[in-house]
């Protein structure tokens, strides 16, 4: 990186490409300010908006995803399975599951072959909450599609996943195949 000129222009060579790019301090500041604005006003608001159906039912979005995982597993999932799939520690998932147990949204049942292992199952109330929140999230996505097509939604998800895989995820070997709009259309055919 070489500084030149009194206006704090910088010459920058991005080693991931063969192109030469020139960035000015103003461009860096513009990017920083836009990213900061997106973080403070976009990502946080999007997270809150997406979590709203869960919070309206008195649970967090993380708690909803636990209920969802249990519903999808049909009684064959353990605490450790959920911790692993959510990428968190056993103690972190234990706290969330503890809250759901106290709310009577799920219960634990010992496995037949090893009574020390317990599988998680939804209570009727937990199944109702999971279904209502899931239905509201799907409906919200359908409303979004009126202004933001499914193809654009997948493009956005793929771009964010690519960024996460490259810069955020600790284990790049766990990258998954990205579902595209074309994949969805093929599956529907």
């Amino acid at each position: 990186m070489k500084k030149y000129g009194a206006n704090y222009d910088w010459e920058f060579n991005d080693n991931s490409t063969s192109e030469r790019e020139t960035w000015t301090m103003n461009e860096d500041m513009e990017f920083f300010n836009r990213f900061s604005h997106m973080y403070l006003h976009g990502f946080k608001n999007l997270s809150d908006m997406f979590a709203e159906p869960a919070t309206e039912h008195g649970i967090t979005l993380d708690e909803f995803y636990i209920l969802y995982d249990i519903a999808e597993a049909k009684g064959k999932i353990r605490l450790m399975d959920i911790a692993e799939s959510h990428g968190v520690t056993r103690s972190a998932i234990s706290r969330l599951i503890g809250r759901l147990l106290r709310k009577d949204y799920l219960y634990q049942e010992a496995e037949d072959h090893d009574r020390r292992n317990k599988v998680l199952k939804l209570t009727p109330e937990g199944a109702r909450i999971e279904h209502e929140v899931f239905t509201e999230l799907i409906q919200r996505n359908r409303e979004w599609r009126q202004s933001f097509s499914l193809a654009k939604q997948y493009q956005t998800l793929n771009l964010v996943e690519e960024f996460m895989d490259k810069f955020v995820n600790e284990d790049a070997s766990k990258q998954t195949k990205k579902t595209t709009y074309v994949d969805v259309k093929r599956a529907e055919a």
Side-chain angles (χ1 to χ4, degrees):
M1 198 180 296
K2 175 177 96 174
K3 180 178 173 184
Y4 63 95
N7 63 352
Y8 299 102
D9 287 345
W10 294 83
E11 187 176 291
F12 174 74
N13 181 17
D14 180 355
N15 293 330
S16 66
T17 67
S18 60
E19 295 179 20
R20 197 122 176 99
E21 297 182 32
T22 301
W23 292 77
T24 66
M25 184 60 105
N26 288 339
E27 289 169 325
D28 288 339
M29 289 303 298
E30 180 182 343
F31 176 83
F32 177 81
N33 289 331
R34 284 187 66 191
F35 183 86
S36 297
H37 180 79
M38 181 62 67
Y39 172 74
L40 293 170
H41 304 286
F43 295 144
K44 287 183 176 181
N45 291 340
L46 182 62
S47 177
D48 291 345
M49 185 176 71
F50 196 70
E52 188 178 18
T55 56
E56 287 174 353
H57 286 84
I59 61 174
T60 66
L61 194 57
D62 289 334
E63 290 170 334
F64 162 73
Y65 280 119
I66 291 170
L67 296 176
Y68 176 79
D69 287 347
I70 294 168
E72 290 296 300
K74 301 190 183 356
K76 301 289 185 193
I77 194 164
R78 297 170 298 140
L79 182 142
M80 284 306 299
D81 300 324
I82 294 174
E84 185 177 312
S85 73
H86 288 229
V88 298
T89 65
R90 179 185 166 104
S91 63
I93 213 71
S94 290
R95 283 189 296 276
L96 292 170
I97 287 174
R99 290 198 307 245
L100 293 169
L101 286 165
R102 285 188 295 281
K103 291 177 181 180
D104 199 32
Y105 291 165
L106 57 91
Y107 64 97
Q108 297 177 346
E109 188 175 272
E111 290 182 320
D112 291 335
H113 66 280
D114 185 350
R115 310 280 307 154
R116 294 172 296 175
N117 287 329
K118 298 197 180 354
V119 294
L120 299 166
K121 296 191 176 194
L122 297 179
T123 64
E125 181 66 4
R128 183 186 70 77
I129 294 291
E130 184 276 335
H131 177 74
E132 287 180 10
V133 173
F134 178 77
T135 301
E136 290 173 32
L137 288 170
I138 295 299
Q139 182 57 38
R140 183 165 288 191
N141 182 257
R142 288 179 180 151
E143 291 168 6
W144 292 344
R145 255 186 262 159
Q146 303 302 315
S147 303
F148 204 69
S149 73
L150 188 58
K152 278 188 170 185
Q153 289 180 32
Y154 272 104
Q155 287 172 339
T156 303
L157 286 175
N158 289 338
L159 185 61
V160 170
E161 286 174 340
E162 180 182 345
F163 183 88
M164 297 293 290
D165 285 345
K166 185 159 182 107
F167 299 109
V168 178
N169 293 342
E170 291 180 28
D171 188 355
S173 67
K174 291 186 178 177
Q175 293 178 9
T176 58
K177 180 189 179 308
K178 309 301 184 263
T179 304
T180 65
Y181 179 70
V182 173
D183 295 332
V184 171
K185 285 301 176 189
R186 282 187 190 136
E188 290 175 354

